[in-house]
Amino acid sequence: MPVRLWLICLFAVLLSACANTKKRPATPPPRPDMPFNHALFNPVAVIDEQAIFALPAQQQQAFLRFSQQQVAAGTRGDRVIYDYLHSQLNEFHYRGDTYSASESLQHGGGNCISLAVLTQAYAFVAGIDTRYRKVASAPVYQQVADTILISSHFKTKLLAPEEPEDENWITLVRPGTVIDYFPAQDAIFVASAQYQDLVAKFYANLAVKAMLAEEFDLAAARILRARSYAPDDPELINIAAVLHRRAGDRHSAERIYL
């Protein structure tokens, strides 16, 4: 069952992820307020935001055919995406990597960021609103060289299409369908987040991957791109400090921490 499997998502230095949108907001301008030592790194290209959520044309067409048939039969739009993921991705397994939507389909799996990105990609095609929640349970740690990774988990809620307003009825919670691996019984709500946060965490996870591989230029480019979406995220600032330290600039690392 593709969206109801147990998983542990490992992210470096307290990474997280989530989103809330129907349309892609404009990319916010970068915030050059952090003492980032740009001279230490060479600029390199990173994956474009649009490419993160891009689906192969064949997959889009298959989903649209499925969606049209299901909606005509009376199935709600949010449930259509759930049913499609369930029917098409029964071999979707947990992998510790962060993938774009097309990469997730290619590899048949991914971590919870990958599943969130894939879900959001289909939500874009169907015009369905999404919300994301960060939840916490007993943390799982992993040490890679001198860096500690800690587990974090997010789940997606596909919102039901809005109904015509009824002045005699007040809706406090908009109905929808949760897309998740099997949730932990002891998971508790931590925070909501926006679409920009999902994109930021995608880049941040890839930045950590590059940093651990000592590809410091690529790590720097990815963390700067992440901060253009979530400039005040303390986890991204923490990653930037770790990156400077590992690249040999302890002075800038200390300034960033401060």
Side-chain angles (χ1 to χ4, degrees), residues 63-222:
F63 171 71
L64 287 173
R65 288 194 298 268
F66 180 89
S67 177
Q68 291 168 0
Q69 294 172 357
Q70 294 299 307
V71 171
T75 304
R76 244 174 29 190
D78 55 307
R79 185 70 190 186
V80 168
I81 297 177
Y82 175 90
D83 290 343
Y84 187 77
L85 291 171
H86 184 274
S87 64
Q88 298 296 315
L89 302 180
N90 56 352
E91 297 298 326
F92 192 87
H93 299 297
Y94 167 73
R95 298 171 63 100
D97 296 296
T98 299
Y99 294 131
S100 67
S102 61
E103 289 172 335
S104 293
L105 293 175
Q106 177 184 351
H107 293 289
N111 60 19
C112 59
I113 302 297
S114 305
L115 180 58
V117 165
L118 182 60
T119 301
Q120 183 66 64
Y122 284 117
F124 278 138
V125 174
I128 296 296
D129 290 319
T130 56
R131 289 180 180 171
Y132 288 83
R133 281 189 169 189
K134 178 181 179 180
V135 297
S137 56
V140 177
Y141 298 91
Q142 178 183 354
Q143 182 169 352
V144 180
D146 59 350
T147 301
I148 299 296
L149 310 181
I150 185 173
S151 64
S152 180
H153 185 61
F154 282 77
K155 58 184 179 180
T156 307
K157 182 178 181 181
L158 296 162
L159 299 182
E162 292 184 303
E163 299 289 342
E165 293 186 4
D166 186 343
E167 61 181 11
N168 298 318
W169 183 261
I170 299 176
T171 302
L172 298 179
V173 179
R174 188 170 167 184
T177 302
V178 174
I179 304 295
D180 194 12
Y181 295 93
F182 279 139
Q185 293 291 330
D186 61 344
I188 58 174
F189 171 78
V190 174
S192 299
Q194 306 297 320
Y195 168 81
Q196 287 88 347
D197 297 305
L198 172 63
V199 181
K201 301 316 177 192
F202 177 89
Y203 285 119
N205 280 9
L206 295 186
V208 171
K209 180 180 179 180
M211 180 180 66
L212 295 177
E214 297 188 354
E215 298 176 350
F216 298 137
D217 292 339
L218 182 57
R222 286 170 171 173

